[in-house]
C-alpha cells in the first residue's frame, strides 16, 4: 500500500480534556496533515512539513474540513436498527412491544445479514468506524454481524445476547446453552481480523442467577474479553431487579455476586446509581457508557457525567440504537451536551469529541489502537465538513476558533457533515 497524506484541519488529543486544562491536551492544526502507512497513523503534523518529508505519499487535500479519529460507538443494538424511533413506550414496555418481536426475526440468518450490513453502512455514513453491539440470542446473529464487519475491515465488538427468563418463547436460551454458545462464538471470533467478542448478558431481569453464574464462569476462563450489559437505566427496572434478586445489595451486586463485575465490564446507561455502586465501579476500574439520546427518548433520566469523571470512572459514549433515536455520534454529542446542561455543566466541544472517540476507546480498553490520530493507531478517520448545511455554515463562518467553528456541527450536524471516512486507511 502506498503512503497517503491527508491534508486539512486536524484535531488530536494528547490527554483527557476532562482532567485539567483543555488547551493543554488538544492539538489543533488549521493546515495539518495525517500520514497513513499500512493502515496506521504514521505521523501527524503541519501539512507543508509532512509534504516535504514524504514526497512519495499520495496526497488527498480535504481543504478546510476537519480530520479527526472516526467515532467509536460504545453501546448499541444492531438488531434494533429497523425499529428505531418506535413511539410511546418506556423501557420494559418498549422491550416487550417493539424490541423482542423484532429480535425474534434474527432466527433467520438472511435477515440478520441484511440488517448487520445496513447498520454498519449507516454507521460509516455517520463517521462511526467502530460499533460495540448486542446481537440477539441467536448465534447466527453474531456471525452475521462479525462477517459484515470483516467485509468492511471494521473493528467491532459484539456478543450473543443471553436471556433465559422474562422474554418471549423463541427468544430464550438457558444457562448451559448460553455458556456453550458464547464460548464457541468467543473462541471462533475473538481476535480474528479486527473482531472482539464481548460476553453479553442482556440485563439481570432477563437472566436467572444460574445463567449469570455460568457467564461469570466463562468470563473467568476468558478474562481477556469484554463483558457488556445494562445497569440502572430506569427506576421501574431497578424495582424489578430488587424483586428478582431480594438478597442483592443493589443492582450492580446482581452482577458482582456472579463474577460479572470487572475491569473489562461495560455497563450501559448507569444513571440511577447508589453510592456503593459508584464506589465499586471506581474500585474495580469498570467502564460505564452514556447513551444520551436513548436516555431522553425512553425517558430514563440524566446521566451524571461530571460525577463519573470526578470519580475517575472510564466513560464511553454511545447511540444505543434503537432505544437511541439516532445513528449519528454528532447528534449523540449534542444530546450529551444538553443533558449536562440540565445538570448545570456545559461540556466543552473538546470533551464531547474526546468522549466520542478516545473516551469510548478507553472504555473498550482499546486506547492507542483506535479512536485516536496519534502515532501507531489504526487509521480509522472521519473527515468533517464544518459548513455542511446553510444553517450550520452561516454560524460556523463567523467563528474565531476551531471550537466555535465545530460546535454548530456537533449541535446541528448529521451524516451530511461527514465528507469522507477511512477504515484502516482505506477510503470508504
Ligand atoms: N435494557 C435491556 N435491554 C435493553 C435494550 O435493548 N435497550 C435499552 N435501551 N435498554 C435495555
Ligand atoms: Zn442497550
Amino acid at each position: 500500500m502506498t503512503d497517503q497524506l491527508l491534508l486539512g484541519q486536524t484535531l488530536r488529543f494528547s490527554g483527557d480534556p476532562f482532567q485539567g486544562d483543555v488547551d493543554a491536551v488538544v492539538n489543533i492544526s488549521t493546515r495539518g496533515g495525517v500520514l497513513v502507512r499500512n493502515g496506521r497513523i504514521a505521523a501527524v503534523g503541519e501539512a507543508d512539513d509532512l509534504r516535504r518529508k514524504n514526497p512519495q505519499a499520495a496526497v488527498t487535500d480535504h481543504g478546510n474540513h476537519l480530520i479527526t479519529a472516526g467515532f467509536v460507538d460504545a453501546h448499541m443494538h444492531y438488531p434494533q436498527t429497523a425499529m428505531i424511533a418506535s413511539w410511546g413506550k418506556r423501557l420494559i414496555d418498549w422491550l416487550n412491544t417493539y424490541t423482542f418481536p423484532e429480535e425474534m426475526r434474527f432466527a433467520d440468518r438472511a435477515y440478520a445479514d441484511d440488517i448487520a450490513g445496513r447498520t454498519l453502512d449507516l454507521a460509516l455514513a455517520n463517521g462511526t468506524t467502530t460499533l460495540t453491539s448486542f446481537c440477539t440470542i441467536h448465534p447466527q446473529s453474531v456471525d452475521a454481524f462479525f462477517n459484515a464487519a470483516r467485509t468492511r475491515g471494521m473493528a467491532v465488538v459484539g456478543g450473543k445476547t443471553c436471556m433465559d427468563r422474562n422474554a418471549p418463547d423463541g427468544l430464550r436460551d438457558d444457562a448451559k446453552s448460553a455458556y456453550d454458545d458464547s464460548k464457541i462464538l468467543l473462541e471462533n471470533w475473538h481476535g480474528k481480523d479486527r473482531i472482539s467478542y464481548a460476553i453479553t448478558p442482556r440485563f439481570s431481569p432477563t437472566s436467572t442467577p444460574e445463567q449469570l453464574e455460568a457467564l461469570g464462569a466463562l468470563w473467568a476462563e476468558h478474562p481477556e474479553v469484554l463483558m457488556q450489559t445494562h445497569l440502572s437505566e430506569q427506576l421501574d427496572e431497578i424495582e424489578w431487579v430488587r424483586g428478582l434478586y431480594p438478597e442483592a445489595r443493589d443492582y450492580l451486586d446482581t452482577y458482582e455476586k456472579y463474577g460479572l463485575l470487572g475491569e473489562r465490564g461495560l455497563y450501559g446507561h448507569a444513571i440511577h446509581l447508589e453510592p456503593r455502586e459508584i464506589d465499586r465501579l471506581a474500585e474495580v476500574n469498570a467502564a460505564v457508557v452514556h447513551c444520551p439520546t436513548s436516555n431522553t427518548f425512553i425517558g430514563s433520566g440524566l446521566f451524571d457525567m461530571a460525577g463519573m469523571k470526578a470519580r475517575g470512572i472510564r466513560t464511553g459514549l454511545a447511540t444505543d440504537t434503537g432505544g437511541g433515536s439516532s445513528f449519528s455520534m454528532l447528534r449523540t454529542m449534542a444530546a450529551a451536551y444538553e443533558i449536562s446542561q440540565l445538570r448545570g455543566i456545559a461540556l466543552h466541544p473538546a470533551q464531547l469529541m474526546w468522549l466520542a472517540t478516545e473516551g469510548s476507546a478507553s472504555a473498550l480498553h482499546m486506547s492507542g489502537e483506535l479512536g485516536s490520530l496519534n502515532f501507531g493507531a489504526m487509521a480509522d478517520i472521519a473527515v468533517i465538513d464544518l459548513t455542511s448545511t446553510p444553517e450550520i455554515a452561516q454560524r460556523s463562518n463567523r467563528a474565531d476558533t476551531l471550537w466555535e467553528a465545530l460546535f454548530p456541527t456537533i449541535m446541528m450536524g448529521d451524516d451530511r457533515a461527514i465528507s469522507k471516512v477511512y477504515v484502516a486507511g482505506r477510503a470508504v
Side-chain angles (χ1 to χ4, degrees):
M1 225 192 206
T2 52
D3 290 355
Q4 294 177 79
L5 184 53
L6 315 180
L7 305 182
Q9 304 199 68
T10 53
L11 170 62
R12 186 170 69 82
F13 294 97
S14 58
D16 178 350
F18 284 91
Q19 313 292 326
D21 184 11
V22 166
D23 293 325
V25 295
V26 169
N27 299 274
I28 294 167
S29 174
T30 51
R31 192 60 190 151
V34 178
L35 183 71
V36 176
R37 179 172 294 155
N38 298 326
R40 290 192 182 264
I41 310 285
V44 185
E46 294 302 314
D48 291 345
D49 191 38
L50 286 168
R51 270 192 121 128
R52 199 166 347 96
K53 290 180 181 153
N54 298 280
Q56 80 292 353
V59 174
T60 306
D61 193 341
H62 290 288
N64 281 330
H65 291 358
L66 179 68
I67 303 174
T68 166
F71 300 128
V72 179
D73 187 341
H75 177 124
M76 60 91 63
H77 300 254
Y78 97 80
Q80 297 172 17
T81 285
M83 48 131 306
I84 191 170
S86 292
W87 182 84
K89 304 284 180 192
R90 294 171 64 87
L91 180 61
I92 309 304
D93 262 4
W94 173 86
L95 284 170
N96 288 318
T97 308
Y98 298 120
T99 313
F100 291 158
E102 177 64 16
E103 292 193 7
M104 211 94 82
R105 300 178 70 171
F106 286 72
D108 174 4
R109 172 64 192 264
Y111 187 69
D113 285 331
D114 178 24
I115 301 296
R118 186 189 305 179
T119 304
L120 291 174
D121 289 341
L122 285 166
L124 289 170
N126 280 287
T128 301
T129 46
T130 289
L131 292 179
T132 311
S133 184
F134 287 63
C135 300
T136 64
I137 69 145
H138 314 96
Q140 61 269 33
S141 74
V142 182
D143 294 328
F145 180 63
F146 287 159
N147 269 321
R150 260 184 123 181
T151 310
R152 291 161 180 78
M154 293 170 73
V156 295
V157 179
K160 177 195 125 72
T161 294
C162 301
M163 299 197 274
D164 67 344
R165 64 168 160 174
N166 295 319
D169 289 347
L171 214 55
R172 289 189 309 273
D173 49 18
D174 58 47
K176 181 169 173 5
S177 71
Y179 172 93
D180 291 343
D181 289 345
S182 300
K183 185 180 169 83
I184 290 168
L185 288 163
L186 187 163
E187 288 172 355
N188 278 347
W189 282 107
H190 185 68
K192 202 175 254 186
D193 293 341
R194 305 186 68 194
I195 306 298
S196 298
Y197 193 80
I199 296 168
T200 307
R202 180 175 218 117
F203 65 159
S204 295
T206 48
S207 287
T208 58
E210 294 69 35
Q211 179 166 81
L212 294 182
E213 189 169 24
L215 295 174
L218 180 60
W219 202 18
E221 290 165 44
H222 287 281
E224 73 279 13
V225 303
L226 295 160
M227 190 288 305
Q228 61 177 345
T229 190
H230 297 86
L231 176 67
S232 298
E233 179 177 359
Q234 287 207 347
L235 297 174
D236 291 356
E237 170 205 10
I238 296 168
E239 268 315 300
W240 193 20
V241 170
R242 227 190 293 279
L244 291 169
Y245 295 86
E247 74 296 345
R249 287 170 288 183
D250 45 47
Y251 195 155
L252 187 66
D253 199 34
T254 64
Y255 297 127
E256 181 163 10
K257 177 155 189 227
Y258 300 107
L260 293 170
L261 175 63
E263 188 179 19
R264 288 184 178 269
L266 287 170
Y267 303 86
H269 301 279
I271 300 170
H272 309 283
L273 298 177
E274 303 289 338
R276 192 203 80 90
E277 295 176 295
I278 297 171
D279 289 345
R280 289 299 290 144
L281 289 165
E283 277 162 19
V284 308
N285 193 23
V288 296
V289 186
H290 182 24
C291 306
T293 71
S294 170
N295 295 345
T296 51
F297 182 77
I298 311 187
S300 302
L302 307 179
F303 179 81
D304 183 8
M305 177 66 73
M308 293 297 128
K309 295 301 292 184
R311 294 298 304 273
I313 296 174
R314 286 175 301 111
T315 304
L317 188 66
T319 63
D320 191 36
T321 48
S325 53
S326 174
F327 293 95
S328 169
M329 289 295 280
L330 293 169
R331 174 74 200 103
T332 303
M333 284 183 250
Y337 179 80
E338 289 162 351
I339 286 176
S340 273
Q341 281 284 58
L342 289 172
R343 299 191 70 111
I345 289 170
L347 295 176
H348 191 281
Q351 294 174 324
L352 295 166
M353 287 295 287
W354 185 88
L355 282 170
T357 54
E358 299 214 14
S360 285
S362 153
L364 301 176
H365 287 264
M366 294 180 187
S367 296
E369 179 66 11
L370 49 82
S372 161
L373 286 191
N374 288 326
F375 174 81
M378 290 298 287
D380 296 338
I381 291 170
V383 182
I384 302 179
D385 176 358
L386 301 179
T387 56
S388 61
T389 66
E391 72 202 58
I392 293 173
Q394 58 89 35
R395 177 65 186 90
S396 183
N397 284 336
R398 65 152 66 167
D400 293 325
T401 65
L402 173 69
W403 301 127
E404 223 187 312
L406 172 60
F407 194 55
T409 291
I410 290 177
M411 293 309 299
M412 299 188 282
D414 54 31
D415 58 334
R416 289 169 292 178
I418 308 301
S419 82
K420 197 86 195 166
V421 175
Y422 297 86
V423 173
R426 237 180 259 278
V428 174

